[in-house]
Amino acid sequence: MQKNMDNAALRQTRRSLPIALLRAREKVMSPIRDMLAASGVNEQKWRVLRVLSESGAMDLTRLANEACLLLSSLHRMIGPLVDDGLIRRSPPSNDRRKVVVSVTEKGEALIRQHSAESAQIFARIEKGFGRDRLEVLLDLLEELQEVDLRTGR
């Protein structure tokens, strides 16, 4: 089979940044998914709980951004999280049109329930990859997030 010459400018998939990030994400998330499976909380809900636990109550737009979720996806999961008693929602006193959510004690307990195993997973990542290299990687990824890929600045 002949290679398509129109694709000559494309990087090989093994050196494609988007694909490399996806592969790395799957490698890191696999043990986290296993950890969460028994609790019935998926990785998206886990991110919501973690963000709320770390940052406190916030509106849905900010939460979606902080938890790396589409706002529409977050809207769909808020009801079940409230029904499960993991978060509570309330309108802020200064703007009744908005919704603010916060983690409940039950949500905090779920985070505590998984904290030791989560720390073990992170320790295995540090051991396998190297603590210093992991810190450099995290710094580089933060810098990459600052690049405006539409303009290249």
Side-chain angles (χ1 to χ4, degrees):
M1 219 186 272
Q2 188 175 3
K3 288 185 180 182
N4 184 348
M5 295 308 291
D6 292 338
N7 290 336
L10 291 176
R11 284 181 168 260
Q12 293 291 310
T13 54
R14 66 181 177 76
R15 296 298 292 173
S16 164
L17 179 60
I19 292 174
L21 290 170
L22 287 169
R23 287 181 180 140
R25 179 186 191 281
E26 289 308 306
K27 186 78 168 183
V28 169
M29 288 307 300
S30 180
I32 294 171
R33 285 188 198 107
D34 292 344
M35 174 187 77
L36 295 173
S39 66
V41 174
N42 62 27
E43 64 186 87
Q44 294 85 5
K45 290 178 180 179
W46 178 249
R47 289 196 313 260
V48 167
L49 293 173
R50 290 285 314 276
V51 167
L52 290 173
S53 178
E54 289 176 11
S55 301
M58 64 180 68
D59 69 75
L60 296 182
T61 301
R62 179 173 166 221
L63 178 57
N65 186 52
E66 295 287 324
C68 300
L69 291 166
L70 296 174
L71 187 56
S72 58
S73 297
L74 178 61
H75 275 286
R76 283 191 297 276
M77 77 176 69
I78 291 297
L81 284 166
V82 170
D83 293 345
D84 291 342
L86 299 172
I87 66 169
R88 71 178 66 80
R89 65 179 148 203
S90 58
S93 57
N94 60 345
D95 188 348
R96 307 297 263 169
R97 298 168 295 171
K98 285 189 174 188
V99 173
V100 170
V101 292
S102 57
V103 67
T104 63
E105 181 53 41
K106 183 177 178 181
E108 292 285 0
L110 181 68
I111 292 169
R112 285 190 305 274
Q113 173 187 336
H114 291 298
S115 64
E117 189 174 356
S118 182
Q120 289 172 353
I121 292 167
F122 192 75
R124 288 195 306 267
I125 294 169
E126 278 187 336
K127 183 179 179 186
F129 193 68
R131 175 178 285 166
D132 292 341
R133 291 177 65 212
L134 182 59
E135 288 302 318
V136 169
L137 176 62
L138 290 169
D139 290 341
L140 290 170
L141 289 171
E142 283 183 9
E143 288 179 34
L144 180 59
Q145 292 174 59
E146 299 300 319
V147 175
D148 182 346
L149 296 177
R150 296 181 196 275
T151 65
R153 287 186 233 144

